[in-house]
Amino acid sequence: MSDNDIGQRVKKIVVEHLGVDDAKVTDEASFIDDLGADSLDTVELVMAFEEEFGCEIPDDAAEKIVTVKDAVNFIQEHAG
Amino acid sequence: MFDLSGKTALVTGATGGIGGEIARALHKQGATIGVSGTRKEKLDALAAELGERVHVLPCNLSEPEEVNQLVADAEKAMGGLDILINNAGLTRDTLAMRMKDDDWEKVLEVNLTAAFRLSRAAIKGMMKRKWGRIINISSVVAQTGNAGQANYISSKAGLIGLSKGLATEVASRNITVNCVAPGFIETAMTDALNDKQRAATLARVPAERLGTPGEIAACVAFLASEEAGYVTGHTLHANGGMAMV
Ligand SMILES: NC(=O)c1ccc[n+]([C@@H]2O[C@H](COP(=O)([O-])OP(=O)(O)OC[C@H]3O[C@@H](n4cnc5c(N)ncnc54)[C@H](OP(=O)(O)O)[C@@H]3O)[C@@H](O)[C@H]2O)c1
């Protein structure tokens, strides 16, 4: 998977789940502070990433995924 | 009303008096059910009685690993889990001063901790499907108190707290979490009372009779239904007027 491809897919999931404008979903955007997610939304996003990329995101790693870029980086390192 | 066709439900303690009736009621409303307990022969007998749409899922709720596996097994067998009924429960009655740590821990483990673990596992799939019902079987004594049952009462009051906490977290995803709190119900447990004990029990019940397992199952069927979607964090008391709360 190219980095770009992962980035696009992550952003698509974020747009769908949070119902936000895709222009707002920048690499640096924080799910909670910038995109209006609540804690339950972040759990759902992690579940959606796991499903999309077929990887498992353990709870301690999930807690560190704060921005769009954090998610992309984790998936790049762990998705098979 | 209260149609459950196409829904999947897991009932713990389905080998018991009340759990068996809950399983029958949900099945009658059209749900596909998973029945759980430790006595496999009893589960098989219930499945044989009900025919189609029944899955036997034995599990010892004292074993954390088995508990953590149960929801996954239910989802696999039924293709998902929409409705979770935490009904299994046990007592180890004795005055608090004589109560051993083990009496306390065993009761809390099965009655409360297992309900938490099953709910935690079930909520994941419910969130994805944006629909779910969790119903915990509490007891009137959680409200009134009773001598010799500090462990049991703590577990049953704990279920009410657990329900409220979970209900708040997941309400926005169309998942409700409620309790049913039975009073004195006709089961093997109350059959064992002698005439004097029975009379003393009934003196506390304005309805002047014990409740039936079917009357508890009906409360559960209601809370499991689409129609009950706006009821959450609630405890539905079915006790013949013994405690009006
Ligand atoms: N009867 C009443 O008057 C009354 C009043 C208020 C509340 N309740 C509550 O209603 C619920 C059902 O009670 P009931 O009267 O139907 O009691 P019951 O006939 O004694 O049934 C208890 C059920 O819990 C299951 N269970 C116990 N320990 C277990 C374990 N370690 N692992 C898995 N399952 C376990 C039993 O399954 P196995 O036997 O297969 O292990 C059985 O199916 C209980 O939570 C009880 O506290 C009952």
Side-chain angles (χ1 to χ4, degrees), chain B residues 115-135:
Chain B
F116 163 69
R117 291 186 172 125
L118 295 176
S119 301
R120 178 177 61 189
I123 279 173
K124 254 193 166 184
M126 291 175 179
M127 276 184 29
K128 277 190 198 161
R129 288 187 300 280
K130 302 240 184 303
W131 200 93
R133 299 280 185 266
I134 298 176
I135 298 153

Side-chain angles (χ1 to χ4, degrees), chain B residues 13-19 37-39 59-62 87-90 110 137-140 152 156 182-185 187 189-190:
Chain B
T15 52
I18 294 175
T38 64
R39 286 172 291 164
C59 175
N60 183 347
L61 298 176
S62 302
N87 162 77
L90 56 89
V110 171
I137 307 303
S138 178
S139 169
V140 65
Y152 180 76
K156 293 300 182 181
F184 290 116
I185 307 302
T187 58
M189 200 165 81
T190 42

